[in-house]
Amino acid sequence: MSASFAITAPLPAAASFADWSAAGLHTVERALEAWVPADAPAGLGAAMRYAVLDGGKRLRPLLVLAAAQAVGGAHAAALRAAVAVELIHAYSLVHDDMPCMDNDLLRRGKPTVHVQFGEAQALLAGDAMQALAFEILTPDDEPALPPALQARLVQLLARASGQQGMAGGQAIDLASVGKALDEATLRDMHRRKTGALLQASVLMGAACGATQAGAWDALSEYGAALGLAFQVVDDILDVTQASEVLGKTAGKDQDANKPTYVTMLGLDAARQYANDLHSQALSALTRAGLTAPLLVSLADRLVIRQS
Amino acid sequence: MSASFAITAPLPAAASFADWSAAGLHTVERALEAWVPADAPAGLGAAMRYAVLDGGKRLRPLLVLAAAQAVGGAHAAALRAAVAVELIHAYSLVHDDMPCMDNDLLRRGKPTVHVQFGEAQALLAGDAMQALAFEILTPDDEPALPPALQARLVQLLARASGQQGMAGGQAIDLASVGKALDEATLRDMHRRKTGALLQASVLMGAACGATQAGAWDALSEYGAALGLAFQVVDDILDVTQASEVLGKTAGKDQDANKPTYVTMLGLDAARQYANDLHSQALSALTRAGLTAPLLVSLADRLVIRQS
């Protein structure tokens, strides 16, 4: 891992969410560029970098940074958490796209990793990206990230991505193709598959600051509602947007006969549900007296996004 | 994760290595049984348990426990490290066996995970086992495993299994099929592919105690030499033993035209090399004044094993 990248200052106090978001994205890209190694052996580094650089909305890293900012967390710690969470997300996409899973050829408008580098390298790159996430959370010399915080961040990330979280949700998804799921099961699947990591992003940011129990619970509720809203909006976009806009194959879930919020609730009720979850996320913050304009703006952006 | 399994006492002071080893294996099996969840959703737990329970020599867990015992490390901490390292090893076998990698149908005398549960579930089970390893290292309520030790163990395990360690070695292996490698490259590949995790097993055990710098370096050298010896012996057994004895397909590396120590050095010189590495491992302990009969016996067993 390159040691040449040091965080010397937090993001500038920005006049607008757009400014903050642009600065945040830039910092995250630079950190990924520096910390995802080009020198991993035998092309592994190239595959890892292809999988995670230059792409994606970076929603999870921005959630980490915004939550940390809401509780006065150290920026250098939050940035490591942000990169770690994005690596977990990116590895899950690499494995998800493989022929034995979704067999997707297109991701973020580019050939998927296994198309570009072969299946075996894609499998290894995903595995190595997961390990790298935990490596990045346990640096030797980062005063902003004392061992107790390292351990806490690892715990949050491992639980969210493991058998009861993301991997568990994907197993439910795998078993659900062609089956009629009730709404509770669908919600449980998404809570794990995408919700757990989105919620963990918020909580990892929160862990970087001194968070009171009330604020922690509010951020947890915000993260859970937002995570579910994200999936509902994804399901809506899957039927309303073209592949070019999404940067991935549209209509895929429908074609695969996968249950979605749209097939279950209908398009209008799904839109209403997304809005309700958005309100629920924001009122959790308000009730706890948290002033977190960045988290509010991220919730807004998530629900009104077009891709 | 089941909370019903508590470690109440260290392994009994045993009269012989055989007794210690049997007690250690029993404890590791019980811990795996308790900590690898049966209730992971949609068959994921069943696949994970199939992959890791009831099988394997448990060399890595025994190395962790023996190293911890050599430096007076807490048994409850060492046991978590032992289980974590075995989960990483087992996940790597699951992914390695998949059709896009080695396409193996037999492992420890049983159908491989993807044969038994399908490729997608095998991919997910491996991913979830990696996450579970880091979850097990970051428990909420384990007085023997304070946060600083949690962070250190995560760091050792992530580095050993990631892009510069095991995954990196597998990438070199992948790229080497059918190629003439020189001995330095072959050694570099094995140092990463199998050596890094074996060495990390020793160091994770050592981290559980109060290790002086001299002892740490000695244990590191012991682990490195042993890790390489393990691979040389594996290469020897691949040509000298039948599949029934190995519990996996014999002659596989030769058939795949993979470079091995036997193809490179010849059988006799490979045997001599394994013995030299064994001596090197033991003299590292002696030079540092470490009295570690369990580590000595493990090194002996590793070099004279038949499978």
Side-chain angles (χ1 to χ4, degrees):
Chain A
M1 196 183 318
S2 163
S4 67
F5 180 69
I7 305 301
T8 51
L11 298 179
S16 71
F17 174 71
D19 289 347
W20 175 84
S21 164
L25 284 176
H26 180 70
T27 311
V28 168
E29 292 304 325
R30 278 181 58 219
L32 284 165
E33 183 72 50
W35 292 339
V36 182
D39 65 347
L44 182 63
M48 294 168 75
R49 290 170 70 85
Y50 181 88
V52 73
L53 298 182
D54 290 329
K57 294 180 283 287
R58 310 298 190 208
L59 172 62
R60 291 157 195 80
L62 290 178
L63 281 171
V64 177
L65 298 180
Q69 203 144 325
V71 299
H75 178 66
L79 186 58
R80 281 189 177 264
V83 166
V85 110
E86 187 68 5
L87 277 166
I88 294 289
H89 172 58
Y91 110 69
S92 80
L93 298 181
V94 174
H95 283 183
D96 231 20
D97 286 339
M98 285 180 66
C100 68
M101 299 281 285
D102 288 352
N103 195 20
D104 249 312
L105 307 178
L106 188 67
R107 165 74 65 186
R108 295 172 181 163
K110 298 189 301 184
T112 45
V113 176
H114 65 93
V115 170
Q116 192 75 10
F117 296 90
E119 280 183 58
Q121 193 74 290
L123 179 58
L124 283 180
D127 289 345
M129 287 159 77
Q130 181 172 181
L132 182 59
F134 294 108
E135 227 179 298
I136 283 173
L137 291 179
T138 50
D140 268 325
D141 44 8
E142 178 47 83
L145 207 64
L149 179 53
Q150 295 185 15
R152 181 76 175 121
L153 293 174
V154 168
Q155 181 192 62
L156 287 165
L157 189 58
R159 290 183 182 179
S161 58
Q163 42 96 14
Q164 291 295 338
M166 184 178 75
Q170 283 176 307
I172 299 175
D173 193 11
L174 205 64
S176 75
V177 175
K179 283 193 189 156
L181 294 190
D182 58 22
E183 197 187 323
T185 309
L186 188 67
R187 193 161 46 226
D188 179 54
M189 173 180 95
H190 288 311
R191 187 178 57 76
R192 299 173 192 264
K193 191 183 165 195
T194 49
L197 199 59
L198 286 162
Q199 187 182 30
S201 304
V202 178
L203 293 178
M204 289 171 78
C208 294
T211 316
Q212 304 297 314
W216 181 270
D217 292 346
L219 288 165
S220 179
E221 188 181 340
Y222 165 92
L226 206 71
L228 196 48
F230 180 83
Q231 187 58 53
V232 177
V233 173
D234 241 28
D235 286 352
I236 294 168
L237 295 174
D238 190 62
V239 295
T240 59
Q241 294 287 24
S243 301
E244 307 84 71
V245 180
L246 294 179
K248 61 183 178 183
T249 314
K252 190 181 72 172
D253 292 340
Q254 220 175 10
D255 295 347
N257 197 17
K258 284 189 180 180
T260 75
Y261 281 101
V262 175
T263 58
M264 173 125 12
L265 304 174
L267 194 53
D268 286 346
R271 281 181 170 135
Q272 185 56 51
Y273 188 39
N275 286 333
D276 291 348
L277 289 164
H278 173 261
S279 304
Q280 190 185 324
L282 299 195
S283 45
L285 301 180
T286 313
R287 275 202 314 280
L290 268 174
T291 310
L294 299 174
L295 290 175
V296 173
S297 296
L298 279 168
D300 294 346
R301 185 204 269 190
L302 189 147
V303 173
I304 61 166
R305 71 199 160 99
Q306 302 299 313
S307 68
Chain B
M1 196 183 317
S2 164
S4 66
F5 179 70
I7 305 302
T8 51
L11 298 179
S16 71
F17 174 71
D19 289 348
W20 176 84
S21 166
L25 283 176
H26 181 69
T27 311
V28 167
E29 292 304 324
R30 280 181 56 219
L32 284 165
E33 183 71 51
W35 292 340
V36 182
D39 65 346
L44 182 63
M48 293 167 75
R49 289 170 70 85
Y50 181 90
V52 74
L53 298 182
D54 290 328
K57 293 180 283 288
R58 311 298 190 207
L59 172 62
R60 291 157 196 79
L62 291 178
L63 281 171
V64 176
L65 298 180
Q69 203 143 325
V71 299
H75 178 67
L79 186 59
R80 282 190 176 262
V83 166
V85 110
E86 187 68 5
L87 277 165
I88 293 289
H89 172 58
Y91 111 68
S92 80
L93 298 182
V94 174
H95 282 184
D96 231 23
D97 287 338
M98 286 180 66
C100 67
M101 298 281 287
D102 287 353
N103 195 21
D104 250 312
L105 307 179
L106 187 67
R107 164 76 62 188
R108 294 170 181 165
K110 298 190 300 184
T112 45
V113 176
H114 66 93
V115 169
Q116 192 76 9
F117 295 91
E119 281 184 57
Q121 192 75 290
L123 180 58
L124 283 180
D127 290 344
M129 288 159 75
Q130 181 172 180
L132 182 59
F134 295 107
E135 228 180 296
I136 283 173
L137 291 178
T138 51
D140 269 326
D141 43 10
E142 177 48 81
L145 207 64
L149 178 53
Q150 295 184 15
R152 182 77 174 120
L153 294 174
V154 168
Q155 182 192 62
L156 287 166
L157 189 58
R159 289 182 182 179
S161 58
Q163 43 95 16
Q164 291 296 337
M166 184 180 74
Q170 283 176 308
I172 298 175
D173 193 11
L174 206 64
S176 76
V177 176
K179 283 191 189 157
L181 293 190
D182 57 23
E183 196 187 325
T185 309
L186 188 68
R187 191 162 45 227
D188 178 54
M189 174 181 93
H190 289 311
R191 187 178 57 76
R192 299 173 192 264
K193 192 184 165 193
T194 49
L197 199 60
L198 285 162
Q199 188 181 30
S201 304
V202 177
L203 293 178
M204 289 171 78
C208 293
T211 316
Q212 305 296 313
W216 181 270
D217 292 346
L219 289 165
S220 178
E221 189 182 341
Y222 165 92
L226 206 70
L228 196 47
F230 180 83
Q231 187 58 52
V232 177
V233 173
D234 241 27
D235 286 352
I236 293 169
L237 295 174
D238 190 61
V239 295
T240 58
Q241 295 287 25
S243 302
E244 307 83 71
V245 179
L246 293 179
K248 62 183 178 183
T249 314
K252 191 180 74 174
D253 292 341
Q254 219 175 12
D255 295 347
N257 197 16
K258 283 188 179 181
T260 75
Y261 281 100
V262 175
T263 57
M264 173 126 10
L265 304 176
L267 195 54
D268 287 346
R271 281 182 171 137
Q272 184 57 51
Y273 189 38
N275 286 334
D276 292 348
L277 289 164
H278 173 262
S279 305
Q280 190 185 323
L282 299 195
S283 46
L285 301 180
T286 313
R287 275 201 314 279
L290 269 174
T291 311
L294 299 174
L295 291 175
V296 173
S297 296
L298 278 169
D300 294 345
R301 183 205 271 190
L302 189 147
V303 173
I304 61 166
R305 71 197 159 101
Q306 300 300 313
S307 67

